């Protein structure tokens, strides 16, 4: 019996164990070295030093590091931990760990447990197996991980095994960053600096601005046995073949419906694991497509939120196994139904407790809100190409630019009230704008705020970047992406724009304008300059694509060309002047992203060939034989042609599909050989893109046709209706 039928028959034997309810506050953060725990396990000196360095202050010196390391070990051992690891986020897109035990031998052979400051602060994983985009070849063969005290240490539990994880950044010995976190931390600092300066126009008490992130993670859950019987899911995380089931998502009965029990048990389980790790999950629900779900936490500061999202993806995948389920984080695991994204809800908070993207309660705070609001729009307008590059990946190409999710055109949705506020400012702030005009306008704007608060229902689901009441929501991010990439870009372009804003306002003040008038003038100028990026309509529509073209907004549908924006002079200037990436780092990252693209498409192409030749054609040929012997038998029995006419028609159809599949797979192999000989990485990626667009859909079309024709008993790959609906 094929794996497929084994899998189907095993489904009814799965038990559903729904974990008992636990009070969340009772377990929340129990596996995290929080400041509260630190207070308990550290001396006053060590505690103070840790707190200062978390707040972005001084570096921790060696002797204090030893004390902190001892405290962390004491805590970890009290929880049964034996090993520790530096935990980091290399450019492969997953997380990396290398476990070492506390256990060590002294010179005389005595066994002791040890974890000193040096082991806490720095480690040297073998960097050569992580992607560096040529960086290490040019500079230095080694890289090291360095403790990031701003993200707390935590304990990962796998069954009975427990490992202490120290969040770190990963850099080369010459200082180039080799991970996602190092540039992110720099971008957050750049944002902090520029935002504080702009805040000080309104409030001198602001000394720190912290960007905030609340991600919404979409994912699919399917039965493990069925997934295992699909080599494409095992190797690529998506199905390369599969005919649409009779019932897909057309009834829209899955969205917000009741959660299937087996999945509910899994959710409860991963939520509890997440709570222990301090991940503040808040919502869970079904998504639009069958077998698709979403979870979202309470927002946190960006750095922590990024760690928590990567941790969550890892926790989900592991916990799923306990339930004999598989989590698919891929952007497009199934054709014909919705793909998965990861909305990045983003804002900025001051240390005086103000959300800079929340409309204010007084005319003055409203002006501060408008400043940050308009600067965000301006940043997205000026750097839309870089935003697009930040979300470019082989799997996300199936969403962006395809017929779903947000389009590849970056635009901003603000809702009708704010659109009106912007156009009011645009028309009423003129060159003759004086104090009286300013006072009236400010009051008028203030009056429209209560209406604005009601604007929450005014949602536009088709926009890639939307204002949703007190935050912007970057919706085009892919479900499997590390949020650090989009957050590095968003915070850097915002930092840069705010810097210019400050300079523009200062210049007007210098010329004698009153501060608030100067601010209004610059806001007006930015609105005029960036209104092209505003779009309130249906982002999926044909008209918008035409309109966007007229406006000159970029619409890059594929990754190899979308990535170009990372290495333009404009990008280099932006990232370098804000201290986020050097030119070489950008070039290296560009190279890495292209290579990732090539490899992913290459693997998919191979899997397609493998499945076509080893699964599809044998099933189709076996069915051909059945038809043939049936026809021959009927003929031998002396029956006329009408008796086997239909069989011949099917036979002919099956044979034609077999021919095309065979031919196309061979042509695709030849095209790959040509592509593999291209030396230039960008050209090679473009060549792979063309292989994908030339062959993938075509081969799939014929395979999916065969699925409808061939005897179900002979079909070895689990079908969509089984993967999406059986659990
Ligand atoms: P939605 O209707 O889009 O689901 P929610 O209010 O549920 O809206 O919020 C979605 C996400 O946005 C949550 O993770 C939430 O914590 C986050 N969020 C809310 N306010 C902010 C903020 N100021 N900064 C960043 N994220 C935020
Ligand atoms: Mg949302």
């Amino acid at each position: 019996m094929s794996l497929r039928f084994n899998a189907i028959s095993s489904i009814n034997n799965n038990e559903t164990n729904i974990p008992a309810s636990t009070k969340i506050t009772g377990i929340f953060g129990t596996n995290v070295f929080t400041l509260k725990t630190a207070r308990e396990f550290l001396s006053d000196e060590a505690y103070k030093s840790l707190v200062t360095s978390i707040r972005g202050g001084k570096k921790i010196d060696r002797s204090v590091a030893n004390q902190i390391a001892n405290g962390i070990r004491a805590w970890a051992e009290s929880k049964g931990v034996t090993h520790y690891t530096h935990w980091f986020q290399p450019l492969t897109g997953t997380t990396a760990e290398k476990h070492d035990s506390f256990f060590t031998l002294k010179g005389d052979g005595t066994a002791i447990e040890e974890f000193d400051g040096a082991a806490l602060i720095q480690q040297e994983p073998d960097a050569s197996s992580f992607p560096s985009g040529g960086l290490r070849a040019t500079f230095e063969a080694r890289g090291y991980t360095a403790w990031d005290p701003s993200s707390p240490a935590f304990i990962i539990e796998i069954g009975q095994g427990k490992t202490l994880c120290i969040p770190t950044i990963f850099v080369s010995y010459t200082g180039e960053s080799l991970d996602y976190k190092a540039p992110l931390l720099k971008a957050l600092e750049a944002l902090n600096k520029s935002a504080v300066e702009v805040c000080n126009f309104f409030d001198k008490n602001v000394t720190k601005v912290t960007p905030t992130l609340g991600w919404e993670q979409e994912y699919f859950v399917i039965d493990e046995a069925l997934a295992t019987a699909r080599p494409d899911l095992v190797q690529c995380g998506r199905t390369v073949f599969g005919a649409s089931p009779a019932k897909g998502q057309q009834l829209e009965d899955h969205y917000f419906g009741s959660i299937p029990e087996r999945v509910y048990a899994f959710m409860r389980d991963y939520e509890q694991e997440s709570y222990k790790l301090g991940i503040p999950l808040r919502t869970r629900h079904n998504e639009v497509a069958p077998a698709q779900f979403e979870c979202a936490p309470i927002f946190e500061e960006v750095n922590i939120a990024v760690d928590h999202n990567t941790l969550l993806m890892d926790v989900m995948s592991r916990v799923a196994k306990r339930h004999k389920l598989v989590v698919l984080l891929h952007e497009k695991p199934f054709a014909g139904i919705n793909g998965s994204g990861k909305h990045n809800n983003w804002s900025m908070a001051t240390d005086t407790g103000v959300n800079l993207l929340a409309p204010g309660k007084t005319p003055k705070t409203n002006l501060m809100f408008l400043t940050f609001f308009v600067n965000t729009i301006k940043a997205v307008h000026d750097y839309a190409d870089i935003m697009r590059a930040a979300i470019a990946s082989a799997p996300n190409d199936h969403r962006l630019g395809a017929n779903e999710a947000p389009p590849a055109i970056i635009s901003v949705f603000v809702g009708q009230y704010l659109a009106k506020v912007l156009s009011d400012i645009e028309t009423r702030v003129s060159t003759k704008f004086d104090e009286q005009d300013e006072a009236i306008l400010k009051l008028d704007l203030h009056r429209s705020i209560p209406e604005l608060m009601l604007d929450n229902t005014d949602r536009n689901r088709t926009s890639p970047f939307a204002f949703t009441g007190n935050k912007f929501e970057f919706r085009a991010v892919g479900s499997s992406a590390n949020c650090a990439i989009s957050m590095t870009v968003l915070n850097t372009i915002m930092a840069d724009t705010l810097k210019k804003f400050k300079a523009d306002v200062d210049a007007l003040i210098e010329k004698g304008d009153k501060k608030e008038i100067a601010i209004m003038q610059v806001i007006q100028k930015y609105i005029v300059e960036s209104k092209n990026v505003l779009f309130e309509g249906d982002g999926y529509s044909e008209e918008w694509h035409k309109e966007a073209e007229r406006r000159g907004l970029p619409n890059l549908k594929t990754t190899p060309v979308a990535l170009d924006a990372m290495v333009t002079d404009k990008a280099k200037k932006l990232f370098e002047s804000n201290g986020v990436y050097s030119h070489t780092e950008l070039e290296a990252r560009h190279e890495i992203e292209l290579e990732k693209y090539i490899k992913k498409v290459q693997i998919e192409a191979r899997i397609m060939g493998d499945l076509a030749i080893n699964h599809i054609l044998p099933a189709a040929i076996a069915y051909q034989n059945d038809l043939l012997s049936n026809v021959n038998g009927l003929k031998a029995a002396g029956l006329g042609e009408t008796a086997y006419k239909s069989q011949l028609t099917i036979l002919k159809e099956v044979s034609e599909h077999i021919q095309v599949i065979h031919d196309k797979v061979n042509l695709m192999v030849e095209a790959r050989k040509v592509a593999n000989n291209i030396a230039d990485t960008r050209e090679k990626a473009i060549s792979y893109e063309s292989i994908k667009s030339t062959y993938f859909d075509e081969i799939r079309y014929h395979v999916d046709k065969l699925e409808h024709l061939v005897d179900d008993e002979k079909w070895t790959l689990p079908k969509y209706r089984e993967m999406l609906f059986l659990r």
Side-chain angles (χ1 to χ4, degrees):
M1 194 159 61
S2 75
L3 275 178
R4 172 178 165 222
F5 289 102
N6 270 326
I8 293 171
S9 64
S10 74
I11 282 178
N12 288 333
N13 304 332
N14 288 311
E15 279 174 46
T16 303
N17 290 314
I18 298 175
S21 287
T22 323
K23 205 165 171 209
I24 296 168
T25 47
I27 54 169
F28 191 77
T30 46
N31 281 346
V32 185
F33 194 70
T34 57
L35 279 180
K36 196 161 155 265
T37 322
R39 186 67 279 203
E40 217 176 295
F41 282 84
L42 298 182
S43 68
D44 280 353
E45 183 196 17
Y47 177 76
K48 269 196 207 123
S49 168
L50 181 65
V51 171
T52 346
S53 88
I54 291 173
R55 305 248 154 92
K58 289 197 322 272
K59 264 181 100 172
I60 291 173
D61 71 46
R62 275 290 148 112
S63 66
V64 182
N66 273 331
Q67 291 184 39
I68 296 176
N70 275 329
I72 295 181
R73 175 168 65 90
W75 167 70
E77 283 183 343
S78 76
K79 297 189 143 281
V81 172
T82 51
H83 284 64
Y84 69 93
T85 179
H86 274 199
W87 182 80
F88 58 105
Q89 299 171 33
L91 299 172
T92 44
T94 49
T95 55
E97 312 164 358
K98 172 179 163 260
H99 297 198
D100 281 306
S101 62
F102 293 137
F103 161 80
T104 186
L105 293 177
K106 298 220 320 191
D108 63 358
T110 327
I112 58 157
E113 317 264 319
E114 183 184 75
F115 181 54
D116 62 10
L120 169 67
I121 287 180
Q122 191 167 318
Q123 287 239 307
E124 225 178 288
D126 179 9
S128 59
S129 335
F130 292 105
S132 75
L135 269 183
R136 270 186 312 270
T138 353
F139 292 92
E140 163 71 63
R142 292 179 310 165
Y144 65 93
T145 51
W147 180 34
D148 164 21
S150 59
S151 181
F154 55 90
I155 295 168
I156 286 265
E157 289 180 352
I158 301 178
Q160 298 297 308
K162 294 184 180 185
T163 306
L164 170 68
C165 296
I166 311 289
T168 55
I169 56 167
F170 183 35
V171 283
S172 77
Y173 264 86
T174 39
E176 282 81 20
S177 50
L178 297 172
D179 69 348
Y180 288 121
K181 284 298 294 291
L184 175 69
L185 295 177
K186 292 175 188 168
L188 298 177
E189 184 43 37
L191 187 278
N192 171 42
K193 243 180 99 210
S194 336
V196 165
E197 290 199 335
V198 171
C199 282
N200 289 160
F201 279 141
F202 307 95
D203 181 356
K204 292 281 175 219
N205 295 320
V206 174
T207 62
K208 189 167 162 75
V209 170
T210 312
T212 50
L213 166 65
W215 37 262
E216 300 165 57
Q217 178 74 53
E218 290 182 332
Y219 58 96
F220 281 82
V221 179
I222 65 169
D223 178 76
E224 187 184 36
L226 287 169
T228 313
R230 293 280 314 210
D232 46 0
L233 278 183
V234 173
Q235 299 239 285
C236 318
R238 80 168 179 107
T239 55
V240 295
F241 300 136
S244 290
K247 177 184 180 219
Q249 66 188 43
Q250 65 274 58
L251 294 179
E252 295 176 338
D253 53 355
H254 187 64
Y255 192 48
F256 282 174
S258 65
I259 298 168
E261 281 202 6
R262 237 180 119 196
V263 178
Y264 178 60
F266 156 64
M267 286 176 169
R268 290 282 294 266
D269 202 359
Y270 84 68
E271 283 169 358
Q272 295 204 359
E273 294 298 331
S274 302
Y275 292 141
K276 288 193 238 165
L277 289 163
I279 305 172
L281 288 180
R282 182 88 189 275
T283 26
R284 57 163 109 98
H285 62 80
N286 290 356
E287 260 304 326
V288 176
Q292 191 187 28
F293 305 90
E294 179 187 294
C295 66
I298 298 167
F299 70 93
E300 301 175 277
E301 49 182 279
V302 170
N303 177 29
I304 309 284
V306 165
D307 280 3
H308 281 167
N309 181 248
T310 48
L311 249 182
L312 174 91
M313 292 195 284
D314 190 42
V315 167
M316 281 171 95
S317 305
R318 280 191 287 105
V319 172
K321 281 197 95 58
R322 289 184 206 157
H323 299 262
K324 297 199 167 64
L325 294 168
V326 166
V327 168
L328 303 174
L329 294 166
H330 193 286
E331 281 73 359
K332 191 75 184 177
F334 302 99
I337 54 175
N338 278 18
S340 302
K342 177 151 48 199
H343 296 180
N344 278 204
N345 295 271
W346 169 86
S347 187
M348 293 150 287
T350 67
D351 55 351
T352 53
V354 174
N355 172 357
L356 291 171
L357 289 175
K361 292 191 177 64
T362 64
K364 187 170 161 191
T365 49
N366 265 329
L367 191 55
M368 179 152 91
F369 157 71
L370 273 173
T371 296
F372 282 88
F373 179 68
V374 169
N375 269 278
T376 311
I377 297 169
K378 170 89 166 128
V380 175
H381 171 270
D382 290 357
Y383 296 109
D385 56 336
I386 300 177
M387 298 264 288
R388 171 68 183 92
I391 48 170
S393 69
N396 215 17
D397 278 2
H398 293 281
R399 302 173 60 231
L400 311 174
N403 266 335
E404 71 162 84
I409 308 161
I410 301 290
S411 65
V412 183
F413 170 84
V414 296
Q416 65 183 82
Y417 290 109
L418 278 167
K420 175 145 190 325
V421 167
L422 294 183
S423 78
D424 270 2
I425 299 174
E426 187 188 339
T427 49
R428 289 169 60 177
V429 179
S430 61
T431 35
K432 300 195 306 296
F433 193 62
D434 61 22
E435 276 179 46
Q436 202 184 351
D437 298 331
E438 190 253 351
I440 297 171
L441 175 58
K442 218 157 74 175
L443 269 181
D444 283 353
L445 295 178
H446 184 58
R447 277 193 212 105
S448 40
I449 294 303
E451 287 177 286
L452 198 80
M453 301 314 271
L454 300 174
D455 200 17
N456 255 328
T457 47
D458 188 7
R459 291 282 177 108
N460 182 327
R461 293 275 158 205
T462 67
S463 176
F465 197 81
F467 185 71
T468 45
N470 55 6
K471 63 195 190 274
F472 274 99
E473 191 166 331
F474 192 8
R475 302 218 183 95
V477 183
S479 51
S480 70
N482 185 320
C483 305
I485 312 169
S486 49
M487 282 297 118
T488 300
V489 167
L490 189 52
N491 288 291
T492 307
I493 65 178
M494 189 63 178
D496 195 68
T497 307
L498 288 169
K499 226 160 52 180
K500 288 185 196 138
F501 180 82
K502 164 104 173 45
D504 287 348
V505 172
D506 281 345
L508 288 181
I509 293 176
E510 208 136 289
K511 280 199 337 215
D513 275 348
K514 194 180 146 244
K515 185 175 76 185
E516 301 207 332
I517 300 229
I519 290 171
M520 273 292 188
Q521 303 272 16
V522 180
I523 287 180
Q524 193 262 2
K525 174 168 157 298
Y526 283 15
I527 292 171
V528 173
E529 286 170 0
S530 52
K531 66 178 180 190
N532 249 352
V533 82
L534 296 178
F535 179 63
E536 303 289 301
D538 177 1
Y540 300 169
S541 67
E542 196 48 45
E543 299 85 77
W544 169 232
H545 285 245
K546 290 201 192 106
E547 163 76 10
E549 200 179 327
R550 270 204 305 109
R551 294 192 194 178
L553 299 179
N555 181 9
L556 298 171
K557 298 199 170 175
T558 67
T559 293
V561 288
L563 289 174
D564 286 348
M566 286 176 75
V567 284
T568 56
D569 287 344
K570 175 174 131 188
K572 288 176 178 169
K573 193 161 153 263
L574 165 76
F575 286 113
E576 192 160 70
S577 66
N578 287 286
V580 176
Y581 292 120
S582 66
H583 289 195
T584 23
E585 284 174 326
L586 272 182
E587 300 277 0
R589 262 154 220 265
H590 180 236
E591 185 82 7
I592 289 168
E593 289 305 322
L594 287 172
E595 274 168 10
K596 254 200 266 181
Y597 179 87
I598 293 168
K599 284 177 190 156
K600 286 202 170 149
V601 178
Q602 190 176 45
I603 292 167
E604 289 188 350
R606 286 182 182 152
I607 279 286
M608 269 197 151
D610 174 14
L611 291 185
I613 304 300
N614 302 312
H615 282 254
I616 312 299
L617 294 193
I621 290 167
Y623 185 49
Q624 263 183 327
N625 286 336
D626 281 359
L627 290 168
L628 259 182
S629 55
N630 175 269
V631 170
N632 287 337
L634 292 172
K635 264 192 204 166
L639 292 172
E641 210 198 311
T642 41
Y644 51 83
K645 209 173 120 233
S646 302
Q647 288 87 323
L648 281 180
T649 312
I650 301 172
L651 192 58
K652 194 163 157 278
E653 277 182 52
V654 170
S655 304
E656 279 167 6
H657 292 305
I658 290 177
Q659 283 307 323
V660 183
I661 291 169
H662 186 252
D663 289 351
K664 295 285 170 186
V665 167
N666 282 337
L667 287 172
M668 183 168 75
V669 171
E670 290 310 313
R672 279 208 321 265
K673 285 184 192 155
V674 176
N676 289 341
N677 281 325
I678 301 174
D680 179 76
T681 319
R682 180 177 179 274
E683 290 307 313
K684 188 168 168 180
I686 288 175
S687 180
Y688 263 98
E689 197 285 316
S690 108
I691 290 173
K692 182 172 164 176
S693 59
T694 314
Y695 296 105
F696 281 23
D697 286 350
E698 171 92 11
I699 294 173
R700 180 178 191 135
Y701 173 83
H702 293 279
V703 168
D704 292 354
K705 283 284 176 206
L706 278 179
E707 188 183 318
H708 283 310
L709 289 169
V710 170
D711 178 4
D712 186 61
E713 289 286 324
K714 293 192 162 52
W715 202 257
T716 59
L717 298 174
K719 297 188 169 180
Y720 270 30
R721 61 166 187 262
E722 293 151 1
M723 289 185 285
L724 293 172
F725 293 97
L726 296 184
R727 52 180 76 92

